[in-house]
Amino acid sequence: MASAMLGAELSCSICLSTYTDPVYLRCGHNFCQDCIVSVLDTQEGAGVYSCPECRAEYQERPALEKNRKLSNIVERFLCSHPEPEETRIFCTYCDSPMPATKTCLQCDASFCDKHLSKHSKSAEHVLTEPTVSFEVRKCSIHKETVKYYCSEDSAAICMSCCVAGDHRGHHVELLSMVYEKKKETLKSVTETLKSEREETERRGQRLQDHMREEKEKATNVTKRVTDLFREIREKLDTLERQVLSEISRQEEQMSLSVSDLITQLETQKDELSRKISSIEEMCNIITDPLTFLKKEPESDVISQRSCDVTSNVRDTGCVDKGIISQMLHRGLLHLADNLMDLQRKRQLSVMEKADMLLDIKTANNNIIISRDHRSASYTDVYQKRRPGPERFIVRQVFSSCSFSSGRHYWELDVSKAKKWLIGVAGHSIERKVDGPKSCIGYNDKSWSLFLLNFLGTSHNNIHKEIEKWGPGSSVQTVGIYLDYEAGRLSFYQLCDPIRHLHTFSATFTEPLYAAFFLYDKCCITIVK
């Protein structure tokens, strides 16, 4: 019995369960933290807060202080009195333990079927499922059974609270009716949550499918790229073998010529040695001058033969680096010419630069267009061009070509601009308004990449930062790739390595032009 009474003292008057993270108000009453937070949230718009127990009012939302002692008591109580899997409550009036079927909150007693038949049938005697928590079901002020619910204060109350207490004149309903309404509301909330859960599951599944498709795509692209480089290496290996074979052929031909010459020289050397011996012998043996002069060899014959041998050395040849360089040059040019075909063979898209020029008919009169129509720069000198429907009032210029289908790629040199704004825009963009409505990225007809105080993107006047911009930051060249049917517009920083900056996803419904906005001291060039 003492245990049951202690359990009742350790129960929250809001949720009627043992305290969880108990906190207290300045009036001294304790509640579960989540319970009192929920009650205070419902009182948010009333302009005044009150304690669900004593109705003490607070002009400002009361601070919640954790009751550490009570928290320790609850913890020790739960450790020494663990809740059984099935709590059995017995009849108060049976001599031997008999399971109770009902509990009367008015009598604070539980009854078996036998004693329940003799129990009062008065409406004041509220029967509930068997319980031992009597105190928590009674008003802490009037000690009467809680039967009503004040929706204004979000509190369970008794009859005296309604008639003469703090809740007099408030909107009050039967606790059972509020319970049923709450159940219906929660059922509706549950259905909504179930729908959201199903949608979440569908989104998760779509993400899983997308990830699987992209992994398969990555595997497929990896194979095609690997095959492409393997084929390039094979062609390079073939060219290498051909060039090395030619070097070997020339070396062998030169070696054969030199070998023949060496053989001739050896023969010549032997003959010379024989003549030398003959001359030396003649000089040593013949002493008679007349006889010696008659036998003297003709030296000019020997000299002539030596000259013939020298001439043959010059004609033996050498490795012809000119032919080798020509073979290598022609082979590499042929490989370069076939790279596009190799890419297409492996189903890899070829990003060929669009032949793009600037349209002077659209250029603002403070923009100078270069003679080759590939560079635009801002000037303070008004250009006095004739007005026309295509010309921009703002510092803007379009490309002369438009894109209404297919894939297109171009590169822009922005190294001569400290600030720049580039992108694409539809033909119907406003041109005769001097303001942001005409600027690329500031309306729903254009998409832009810009560098101002930071590197960012803009569409429909919604700006997104890509990265902070500091002294060490640098973008020299920007690559722009447009896939019209897929609705993708991508920007790349062309450095080592190439870096993806941003991709817009949209549905394009009209021809698009490359667009350029020129700031002071700004020059932007289309890279050939």
Side-chain angles (χ1 to χ4, degrees):
M1 179 64 77
S3 174
M5 292 178 64
L6 179 59
E9 288 296 323
L10 297 179
S11 298
C12 172
S13 61
I14 298 176
C15 66
L16 307 182
S17 299
T18 305
Y19 288 117
T20 302
D21 297 326
V23 294
Y24 64 92
L25 299 176
R26 291 200 301 271
C27 58
H29 290 107
N30 296 281
F31 308 91
C32 298
Q33 182 173 351
D34 289 342
C35 295
I36 189 60
V37 166
S38 298
V39 171
L40 294 176
D41 286 344
T42 61
Q43 298 174 352
E44 193 83 45
V48 65
Y49 300 87
S50 60
C51 171
E53 286 264 8
C54 65
R55 316 316 305 169
E57 293 186 353
Y58 306 92
Q59 296 302 317
E60 296 181 354
R61 184 170 180 134
L64 302 177
E65 300 290 338
K66 184 172 182 178
N67 194 329
R68 300 187 183 278
K69 287 189 176 181
L70 181 57
S71 181
N72 294 334
I73 294 172
V74 170
E75 185 176 353
R76 286 196 293 272
F77 174 79
L78 292 177
C79 290
S80 59
H81 299 84
E83 294 182 3
E85 294 183 3
E86 183 180 354
T87 303
R88 302 192 68 188
I89 299 174
F90 300 100
C91 178
T92 306
Y93 299 102
C94 288
D95 295 331
S96 58
M98 181 64 67
T101 56
K102 293 291 181 181
T103 293
C104 177
L105 300 181
Q106 184 72 19
C107 302
D108 291 351
S110 298
F111 304 92
C112 63
D113 289 334
K114 176 182 177 182
H115 290 100
L116 183 62
S117 61
K118 301 176 182 179
H119 181 259
S120 172
K121 300 298 187 290
S122 170
E124 296 178 356
H125 291 259
V126 179
L127 297 176
T128 67
E129 294 302 313
T131 181
V132 293
S133 303
F134 299 109
E135 292 299 323
V136 296
R137 294 180 178 273
K138 292 188 176 182
C139 175
S140 60
I141 299 174
H142 304 102
K143 305 304 179 184
E144 296 179 10
T145 303
V146 172
K147 298 181 182 179
Y148 304 95
Y149 185 82
C150 175
S151 57
E152 294 184 21
D153 298 324
S154 302
I157 58 177
C158 66
M159 175 61 75
S160 296
C161 289
C162 298
V163 176
D166 295 336
H167 299 274
R168 181 175 56 186
H170 289 186
H171 182 264
V172 174
E173 297 179 88
L174 285 173
L175 198 62
S176 58
M177 292 180 63
V178 175
Y179 164 72
E180 293 298 331
K181 288 180 181 179
K182 191 67 173 178
K183 279 180 61 177
E184 290 300 318
T185 302
L186 291 177
K187 284 181 181 179
S188 176
V189 171
T190 301
E191 292 301 319
T192 302
L193 293 176
K194 286 181 178 179
S195 298
E196 292 181 0
R197 182 180 64 184
E198 291 174 0
E199 178 60 25
T200 302
E201 290 176 353
R202 285 193 292 270
R203 290 179 180 177
Q205 186 60 48
R206 286 196 294 269
L207 288 174
Q208 292 284 352
D209 294 341
H210 175 72
M211 182 172 65
R212 184 177 62 256
E213 291 172 0
E214 291 303 310
K215 283 186 175 182
E216 291 175 356
K217 187 187 298 182
T219 301
N220 184 264
V221 172
T222 299
K223 182 180 182 305
R224 296 204 300 271
V225 170
T226 303
D227 291 343
L228 171 64
F229 279 96
R230 188 189 68 248
E231 191 166 352
I232 292 174
R233 281 192 293 270
E234 288 174 355
K235 291 186 178 297
L236 284 173
D237 290 342
T238 300
L239 178 59
E240 180 185 17
R241 286 194 299 271
Q242 291 173 350
V243 174
L244 293 179
S245 176
E246 174 62 21
I247 295 173
S248 298
R249 185 192 67 77
Q250 292 187 26
E251 180 188 13
E252 184 178 358
Q253 184 178 8
M254 181 271 302
S255 296
L256 289 173
S257 298
V258 171
S259 296
D260 289 343
L261 182 58
I262 290 174
T263 302
Q264 293 177 30
L265 289 174
E266 290 293 338
T267 303
Q268 182 70 29
K269 187 181 73 171
D270 292 341
E271 184 178 350
L272 290 172
S273 296
R274 183 181 57 80
K275 289 184 178 292
I276 290 170
S277 297
S278 175
I279 292 170
E280 288 178 346
E281 182 181 356
M282 185 179 66
C283 289
N284 292 330
I285 295 174
I286 301 175
T287 60
D288 180 53
L290 181 60
T291 304
F292 181 82
L293 292 174
K294 287 183 178 179
K295 289 186 175 290
E296 182 182 1
E298 297 180 1
S299 58
D300 57 335
V301 176
I302 298 174
S303 299
Q304 181 62 45
R305 296 194 66 178
S306 297
C307 290
D308 291 343
V309 173
T310 304
S311 177
N312 289 336
V313 171
R314 296 193 188 100
D315 296 337
T316 55
C318 59
V319 176
D320 191 341
K321 292 190 291 184
I323 293 176
I324 294 169
S325 297
Q326 186 66 15
M327 284 184 65
L328 187 61
H329 179 69
R330 288 172 62 85
L332 290 175
L333 282 180
H334 180 72
L335 178 59
D337 290 341
N338 285 278
L339 280 178
M340 295 297 187
D341 293 334
L342 291 176
Q343 280 185 262
R344 294 188 181 95
K345 177 182 176 182
R346 298 301 174 188
Q347 298 179 348
L348 294 167
S349 60
V350 180
M351 296 176 69
E352 299 181 10
K353 290 181 185 176
D355 187 13
M356 183 182 295
L357 300 175
L358 296 172
D359 187 0
I360 198 168
K361 296 194 306 295
T362 67
N364 169 268
N365 272 309
N366 286 100
I367 294 177
I368 297 176
I369 304 298
S370 62
R371 289 186 178 182
D372 63 359
H373 285 217
R374 293 187 180 274
S375 293
S377 56
Y378 179 78
T379 178
D380 291 329
V381 180
Y382 192 75
Q383 298 300 298
K384 299 181 181 179
R385 300 187 186 104
R386 289 194 302 176
E390 304 295 315
R391 195 172 307 286
F392 280 99
I393 293 179
V394 296
R395 306 175 180 183
Q396 208 154 266
V397 62
F398 270 5
S399 62
S400 57
C401 59
S402 64
F403 311 111
S404 56
S405 64
R407 299 170 181 172
H408 308 275
Y409 175 75
W410 61 97
E411 296 177 2
L412 302 177
D413 181 354
V414 294
S415 61
K416 297 179 181 178
K418 293 183 179 180
K419 298 189 295 182
W420 43 263
L421 177 59
I422 57 178
V424 300
H427 182 271
S428 63
I429 189 172
E430 180 62 55
R431 301 172 191 240
K432 301 304 179 182
V433 174
D434 188 9
K437 187 181 293 186
S438 300
C439 298
I440 50 175
Y442 286 78
N443 47 71
D444 61 356
K445 302 180 186 299
S446 58
W447 298 258
S448 73
L449 177 76
F450 63 83
L451 175 62
L452 295 173
N453 297 325
F454 59 90
L455 183 66
T457 60
S458 181
H459 170 64
N460 205 17
N461 207 21
I462 298 174
H463 312 292
K464 293 183 179 180
E465 180 179 309
I466 295 177
E467 65 183 21
K468 299 289 185 184
W469 204 250
S473 305
S474 176
V475 174
Q476 300 293 321
T477 309
V478 177
I480 303 176
Y481 182 69
L482 170 66
D483 188 336
Y484 192 95
E485 280 79 11
R488 294 176 65 84
L489 175 67
S490 299
F491 296 89
Y492 301 91
Q493 178 179 335
L494 302 183
C495 58
D496 190 12
I498 293 175
R499 183 165 69 105
H500 172 257
L501 297 175
H502 185 75
T503 293
F504 286 106
S505 295
T507 301
F508 303 128
T509 58
E510 62 176 323
L512 299 177
Y513 293 82
F516 312 81
F517 186 95
L518 281 299
Y519 290 94
D520 293 348
K521 300 178 182 179
C522 172
C523 179
I524 299 174
T525 301
I526 301 170
V527 181
K528 293 184 181 180

